[in-house]
Amino acid sequence: MKKGLQNILLSATAALVLAACNFGFGQSSAVEDTQIGLRNVSLEDELNVKNPAIAWKGDSPGSNELFERSYENAPPLIPHSLDGLLPITIESNACLSCHDVGVAKDMGIIPAPQSHYMYLSTGKKTKELNKERFNCVQCHVPQADAEPLIKNNFKADFRSTDGNRTSNLVDVLNQGVK
């Protein structure tokens, strides 16, 4: 009985998807790619893409205020300029010259968290930075005074009072997983 109900629901869902895809078939007004997303230029045009003007915040490391995290365990924003620190490669990562766990405490700055020194898929901890996570700017971006491109009324709900400044990802990573 349960399997039969699943098949009926799958069939009904497939029929709805097909109907939705064919709903506009035959109409003369197609949606142009310039009307999709925030680019406002053809998806095939990389030369005329204009990024909005952004005032990046940050001078030398350690001289700027820290912005709060956007949501619980969000990657923190980089509060300093990246001049001279890029590109980041697996062989050369200037971020670790200050943020490596062995150095950061003595310098009085935020170290890379425990989650960067473990394999999230297995929970195996390592003494060196997980090589899968070497590219810091894949998740962390410089702080900027920029207006949102789209109105957003999202308000983060932090479970702890310091959740807007710290991460507890390692502690809650497998929460709810059996």
Side-chain angles (χ1 to χ4, degrees):
M1 175 70 180
K2 191 174 186 182
K3 200 70 153 161
L5 183 58
Q6 283 180 331
N7 288 338
I8 291 170
L9 288 173
L10 283 173
S11 297
T13 302
L16 286 171
V17 169
L18 287 172
C21 290
N22 290 322
F23 182 76
F25 188 74
Q27 293 181 355
S28 60
S29 60
V31 175
E32 298 294 323
D33 60 357
T34 57
Q35 297 172 302
I36 301 172
L38 303 171
R39 289 173 56 109
N40 298 327
V41 298
S42 168
L43 294 176
E44 298 168 355
D45 182 357
E46 290 298 323
L47 297 176
N48 294 310
V49 175
K50 303 270 188 290
N51 288 323
I54 295 174
W56 298 103
K57 291 195 68 138
D59 298 318
S60 58
S63 64
N64 300 294
E65 68 173 300
L66 298 177
F67 284 18
E68 292 184 356
R69 292 174 188 242
S70 302
Y71 52 89
E72 188 166 323
N73 291 314
L77 300 174
I78 302 169
H80 57 75
S81 169
L82 295 178
D83 289 344
L85 301 176
L86 301 176
I88 296 171
T89 67
I90 201 161
E91 294 86 20
S92 174
N93 184 335
C95 302
L96 293 177
S97 62
C98 295
H99 292 282
D100 185 74
V101 171
V103 181
K105 187 175 183 181
D106 293 336
M107 296 179 73
I109 61 172
I110 299 170
Q114 294 175 11
S115 62
H116 288 45
Y117 292 87
M118 67 185 287
Y119 289 86
L120 298 178
S121 59
T122 63
K124 180 183 175 192
K125 294 184 179 179
T126 63
K127 292 185 186 225
E128 294 181 358
L129 184 78
N130 174 347
K131 297 298 182 194
E132 297 169 352
R133 303 187 75 176
F134 78 91
N135 187 3
C136 305
V137 293
Q138 179 175 331
C139 298
H140 303 276
V141 297
Q143 297 179 158
D145 277 334
E147 289 297 319
L149 298 174
I150 296 177
K151 184 180 178 189
N152 183 349
N153 59 4
F154 173 79
K155 299 283 185 235
D157 185 19
F158 298 99
R159 290 184 272 187
S160 66
T161 55
D162 63 346
N164 59 351
R165 296 253 183 226
T166 62
S167 172
N168 67 343
L169 181 63
V170 171
D171 301 327
V172 299
L173 186 62
N174 291 317
Q175 194 171 44
V177 178
K178 293 182 181 185

